[in-house]
Amino acid sequence: MTDLSKVPVTIVTGFLGAGKTTLISHLIRNTAGRRLAVVVNEFGTLGIDGDILQSCAIPDCPAENIVELANGCICCTVADDFIPTVEKLLTLDPRPDHILIETSGLALPKPLLKAFDWPAIRSRITVDGVLALADAEAVAAGRFAPDVAALDAQRAADPGIDHETPLSEVFEDQLACADMVLLTKTDLAGPEGVAAARAVIAAEAPRPVPVIEIAEGAIDPRVILGLGAAAEDDIHARPSHHDDEDEHEHDDFDSTVVTLGEIADPAELVGRIETLARDHQILRVKGYAAVAGKPMRLLVQAVGGRVRHQYDRPWRSDEPRQTTLVAIAEREHVDDGVIRAVLAG
């Protein structure tokens, strides 16, 4: 950093389900003596990640230092949400030593970088670094595109086609903005998958950046915090598919929230989520389920057909025992009735 009075900010970006919340949970538990504050941005009206992170709160990162911005992409709501939130965090006593920003999986990091030039905050914070998380298994399989085989066939049939799918553009923009790439889910990808993912990243990244393999979000904070990148000062070296646009929208994607009663069997719910991914092109499902006869809440997180679930905490007396899930997909695939019917069984 050129100005030691500025609070460093790390932007954590990455595709849906790449492990951003897991990484930040690890950093909260391993602060290396830093007082942390966290801004979490969700896509959709149901906030999950902020609740997960607040359950990790410790003295060096108390619950009041964890702020969630739901129902809107942070890079599209800078004036309304991001700037006031950062200003509020900077008034905390004691002031945070470091701020972490978890963007939604659909956010473009470059518009957020531009926000650091706003007069209200530009002399008070700096972008210490942009971390892009990449799911090794998903990248190796090409799942950042809705249908890679169909796209390749179309391009082969018409050499004049040179457009890219929305998901691949998001992935490439995140890589292009990164100071470091963290490769996750390497155990699921295996050595060949990891090698394939590294090859994709090397081909798509506009400049060489370190690629580090991590498991379950565990990494020494000294490796990723304190990079001193001052990324807001070299924003022109971070190309984007949207550089020629005055503004961008996320009309390519949509979400819906499904609320159900108690479920009888988590395995049945997993099967229904797998059906949504396989038959209805749903990219992401996350939320909580109430399991009959169980006092604990079931946390559910799915990327495509890969579903993870665990009991995270007891239900509180002041909250309804119900199942609430958010599904995210490209807009054309979000049919509220179909999604509800499949999840309800």
Side-chain angles (χ1 to χ4, degrees):
M1 290 186 298
T2 57
D3 184 349
L4 295 179
S5 70
K6 293 183 178 182
V7 175
V9 178
T10 295
I11 297 173
V12 181
T13 186
F15 194 55
L16 294 165
K20 298 184 296 295
T21 303
T22 302
L23 172 69
I24 292 178
S25 297
H26 173 78
L27 292 175
I28 288 174
R29 293 187 177 98
N30 300 272
T31 64
R34 294 177 173 89
R35 290 189 301 273
L36 296 181
V38 181
V39 179
V40 185
N41 184 216
E42 292 270 32
F43 183 84
T45 56
L46 178 64
I48 301 297
D49 295 344
D51 192 32
I52 294 172
L53 292 175
Q54 286 178 346
S55 70
C56 303
I58 62 172
D60 278 341
C61 187
E64 59 267 26
N65 284 29
I66 302 173
V67 181
E68 183 176 52
L69 303 178
N71 196 29
C73 172
I74 195 171
C75 58
C76 299
T77 59
V78 168
D80 294 334
D81 291 330
F82 176 65
I83 300 298
T85 296
V86 169
E87 289 183 301
K88 180 179 178 181
L89 291 178
L90 292 175
T91 64
L92 292 173
D93 186 14
R95 192 177 75 165
D97 296 320
H98 205 111
I99 298 173
L100 307 175
I101 299 177
E102 177 190 341
T103 71
S104 87
L106 300 174
L108 304 175
K110 190 166 182 178
L112 180 56
L113 277 184
K114 293 179 179 178
F116 283 75
D117 194 41
W118 279 56
I121 62 172
R122 65 187 175 191
S123 65
R124 304 167 68 190
I125 59 176
T126 181
V127 183
D128 181 65
V130 179
L131 307 178
L133 273 66
D135 180 323
E137 185 189 36
V139 172
R143 286 203 299 269
F144 46 81
D147 189 338
V148 176
L151 181 61
D152 288 344
Q154 189 176 17
R155 283 178 172 162
D158 185 355
I161 294 178
D162 191 30
H163 62 267
E164 300 180 77
T165 65
L167 292 181
S168 67
E169 288 191 3
V170 172
F171 177 76
E172 290 163 14
D173 275 17
Q174 291 171 347
L175 286 183
C177 208
D179 295 290
M180 184 178 292
V181 176
L182 302 182
L183 204 56
T184 65
K185 316 291 177 69
T186 55
D187 55 328
L188 299 175
E192 291 185 359
V194 170
R198 283 181 171 275
V200 170
I201 291 168
E204 298 295 349
R207 65 189 190 281
V209 295
V211 178
I212 300 174
E213 298 175 27
I214 65 172
E216 298 298 329
I219 187 170
D220 189 327
R222 294 173 299 178
V223 176
I224 58 176
L225 302 183
L227 299 181
E232 71 275 16
D233 292 337
D234 71 346
I235 193 168
H236 297 297
R238 302 166 189 260
S240 165
H241 287 282
H242 303 269
D243 282 340
D244 296 329
E245 300 176 10
D246 292 332
E247 59 183 32
H248 75 278
E249 299 177 350
H250 290 298
D251 288 343
D252 296 316
F253 305 98
D254 201 358
S255 66
T256 186
V257 176
V258 175
T259 302
L260 306 168
E262 293 187 343
I263 64 171
D265 182 3
E268 291 183 359
L269 179 62
V270 168
R272 294 166 190 167
I273 293 173
E274 291 172 343
T275 297
L276 284 177
R278 182 184 64 247
D279 298 340
H280 303 285
Q281 291 75 53
I282 301 303
L283 301 171
R284 186 86 161 95
V285 176
K286 57 183 177 178
Y288 303 106
V291 181
K294 299 293 185 180
M296 301 282 285
R297 186 179 69 172
L298 188 71
L299 170 64
V300 179
Q301 302 201 64
V303 182
R306 194 173 72 223
V307 187
R308 301 178 68 176
H309 58 86
Q310 66 188 62
Y311 292 101
D312 71 328
R313 66 164 175 80
W315 288 98
R316 294 193 297 261
S317 60
D318 61 346
E319 60 185 352
R321 281 182 57 93
Q322 63 185 22
T323 298
T324 308
L325 301 168
V326 59
I328 303 172
E330 291 188 85
R331 182 171 294 277
E332 64 193 77
H333 298 304
V334 177
D335 185 315
D336 294 357
V338 169
I339 294 171
R340 172 175 290 278
V342 173
L343 289 175

